[in-house]
Amino acid sequence: MLRRRLTMLLLLAAFAALFFFPAFATLVTDWWWFREIGYQIVFTRELVTRVLLFLAAAGLTAGVLYLNLRAAQRGLVPDPVVLQFGQGAPKVDISAGLRRLSLPVSLAMGVLAGFAVTPAWDLVLRAIHQTPFGIADPVFSRDIGHYVFTLPGLALALGFLTTLTVFSLMLVVPLYWVRGDIVPGPRRLMIEPTAGLHLAILLAATFLLTGLRLWLVEIPGLLYSTTGPLIGASYTDLYARLPALRVSAVVAVLAAIAVVIGGLQRRLPRYGFLAIVSYLGVAVLGRGLFPVAMQKFVVAPTELTRETPYLRHHIAATRQAWGLDSVEVRELAGEAGLTLADIRANGPTIENVRLWDREPLLQTFGQLQEIRTYYDFVSVDDDRYWIDGVYRQVLLSPRELNAASLPTRTFINEHLTFTHGMGITLSPVNQVTTEGLPVLFIKDLPPVSTVSLRITRPQIYYGEIPTEYVFTGTRQPEFDHPSGEANVYSAYSGKGGVPVGNLGRRILLATRFGSSKVLLSGDITNDSRALYYRSITARARRALPFLRFDRDPYMVVAGDGTLQWILDAYTTTDRYPYAQRLLDGTSYMRNSVKLVIDAYDGTLTAYVSAPSDPLIQTWSRIFPGIFVPLDSMPADLRAHIRYPDDIYRVQTNLYTTYHMDAPEDFYHREDQWQIPLVAKADESVPFMRHIIMRLPEESEAEFIYMVPFTPRGKENLAAWMVARNDGDVYGKLLVYRLSRQSLVFGPRQITNRINQNTEIARQVSLWDQRGSRVIRGDLLVIPIEESLVYVQPLYLQAEGGRIPELKRVIVAYQNRVVMQETLEAGLTELFGGPSGAPRAPATAVATGAAAAEPSSPDTAVRALVAEAWRRYQAALEANRQVDWTRYGEEFRRLGEVLQRLESGGSEPGQ
């Protein structure tokens, strides 16, 4: 017998080890990882809070349930319920068996309750360390912090206690029935006096907790109502539901008193029945029928009049919650004719027009610069750099290692040898070679730069590709990059990763990674380091689990030549009263953190970019020391921060409606806007572009994020918004409203005009007939002064080919649409013409040279020589392709250019 019990104990211990040891290994190795990045306080505070919540909830649940079960089973059972499993079998007293189950059931339910409560660790910490918003709600005059921090905690506590009380009641009622303390009679229910008092106390506690929940949670919760034409308390909520909730709360307290009196007077069935019926009657009539009747017969016929004050609350709260109250609005007189002086004054804008789209460029990078099959370009990002003394907009993409594409996938290859990506490819947005390919400022392996930008540490150990763990400092050399037919190897010298150390640590790492090879490999030494959480998004979410992260991290070349990732993070809540919500319930968002992650050693630095945000102030109190002010960010990195994409999409979408601050206009949607959509291969996406340009009334060009607006259901332009990214104006939102008296073509109208242009249609049709695929690039809206110029690149992809080539640039202004081989030529045709109107200045587009100065006559001559050379090369190409139509056209244009050269660079006829 003893041996059998010992065997059972050993089996149970083995089962527990198999079940709990992997979780233990993950917990311990996570602690090592948090210690590596210096965020131990996040790990320990979350863990301690979870443990304390578990112990509190489990102990309270187990204690309450056990006390109630033991109280229900006290004393002798006069008429117990017995079961007999067959004739002659002994009778089994059910109540005696249930008494032995009291403790196990209570403990089991306590454990379940503890696990159910632990996910609320962040809610509890926010409530304890809350920061006031300094803004009062318009109905109850409470600080917004009460709704964001305190109210969720109250709802959790009252909900937990109510559930525990109801569950206790559900357990003891059948138990009393089994014991014979509750006997259904022909006319009334008979309840033993002590059982009646016990049930009365539980029922009274339920009513009392319900009353508290109504008063403390449900009444403030009216500010999240959706009854009327808005989010927040409407007329019906305040004049029907609010009084009904108050009456219901009072009735619930009176019902609690009534059932206690009934229990003391041994008349619980009658008093309990009256209490329940009274409460339900008030709830159905006051909180159900009365609000419906008021909404239908009182509010609906005069909805705007009655809801106007609450619409005003809703508009103001939404603008505050989403940062729209600080948007600066400037009026534009309308479409003004551009002159040569306007074009020259906006030279930096023209010189940075983005002729390369991300998708075609990503394909081109992949074909030209991946070099080996196991390298991948995941995404292309817009950025700006001072290159050779010129402010340039560029597109760059990191070259990451994709272990899934290794020709031989072994443990050594995946985890010891091929450990990192290598360098970036960087291209200006507006330059192409004579073959129609992008000019590459940084390219090849190891990275080679043809400009002033240098990379000193090109290795990428942490990137966007979801990568598994790797080990560095092993006996296997690490592959660094190919060099011709040979390979170059390197050794990791960074501080990233967790030391492998002794056998015990190796066992835990092997358990975490689920690989015995980690334990058995002779190549991994005690001095080796394990690098995990290498995906920057996963790394950020694990380090700062209470923040929401942007979808688009981007890489920056720092001043010292190292590669750094920047990832924007948001503080959010779904508890901002009266504010409009997203589909996931979010009603408040701030870009409060800029997270910088070193691509080589994985170091994380969290910079606070919205120090006035109460949520980030609260998290800074909870986790002191992990956030640093944005002012401490190095200047070379700060020059590359940008307004994040996710919040800008939300803000621009909301602004299409919430730019109307008058309740009457908002209600009727008289001036509602929309964001034009751009048709992609499989979806339509909002029209949003990064541009370097000089804004109207500003003196310097800057990097902005631009979105146009058109009136709802119409195509003409109504306004455009920019998010500013540079210097002291970073984060400012600026809207330029166009006059309603002027008609300014919107993107859809320009697209239609391009489609209707016979010359463009003929050329596209000719390309299609030859089997080539024409790819239309993004239509760009280029604001210049108070006018708009539209630019759209056209790419050609040969049949069976994978490299898109830039072949034409379409330029549109007012009613005119032209297509040329270069932006320079298109602007020249558009703003020049046979009448002698001023031409656009020469730009560096398609030449691979630096942008030319427009003011010098020699510059104009050089531009004409360059154009003549391009015409000559194009004619030769047409001759090789036996395209005589194009051959003749190119020679005709070459003659025109030579004629202009002969006249000293002026237009014919001048």
Side-chain angles (χ1 to χ4, degrees), residues 153-277:
L154 285 174
L156 174 68
L158 291 174
F160 177 80
L161 293 176
T162 302
T163 302
L164 179 58
T165 305
V166 171
F167 191 73
S168 300
L169 196 60
M170 293 172 62
L171 285 179
V172 299
V173 166
L175 187 57
Y176 276 127
W177 176 79
V178 169
R179 288 173 50 88
D181 293 328
I182 299 178
V183 180
R187 292 186 178 182
R188 61 173 183 164
L189 188 66
M190 302 294 295
I191 302 179
E192 193 269 335
T194 55
L197 184 58
H198 184 192
L199 295 174
I201 293 173
L202 290 176
L203 189 57
T206 303
F207 274 122
L208 186 60
L209 289 170
T210 301
L212 289 173
R213 180 176 54 82
L214 291 172
W215 196 272
L216 299 177
V217 178
E218 296 292 334
I219 289 177
L222 289 174
L223 302 191
Y224 308 111
S225 171
T226 57
T227 301
L230 60 130
I231 302 293
S234 63
Y235 184 93
T236 299
D237 292 316
L238 296 182
Y239 288 93
R241 283 197 170 85
L242 178 57
L245 284 170
R246 287 172 173 167
V247 171
S248 294
V250 173
V251 170
V253 175
L254 294 177
I257 296 173
V259 294
V260 171
I261 293 174
L264 293 173
Q265 296 182 357
R266 302 184 180 183
R267 302 176 67 181
L268 177 61
R270 182 179 179 181
Y271 278 73
F273 177 77
L274 291 175
I276 293 172
V277 169

Side-chain angles (χ1 to χ4, degrees), residues 713-756:
K714 296 183 179 180
E715 308 292 348
N716 60 289
L717 211 63
W720 44 282
M721 175 186 279
V722 297
R724 308 177 74 176
N725 293 281
D726 289 349
D728 295 335
V729 296
Y730 169 80
K732 304 292 185 182
L733 298 180
L734 187 58
V735 170
Y736 291 91
R737 294 179 64 113
L738 302 174
S739 172
R740 293 191 181 184
Q741 279 67 47
S742 62
L743 176 64
V744 180
F745 292 139
R748 183 70 63 85
Q749 291 171 314
I750 294 297
T751 299
N752 292 337
R753 286 183 174 273
I754 293 173
N755 293 336
Q756 294 166 4

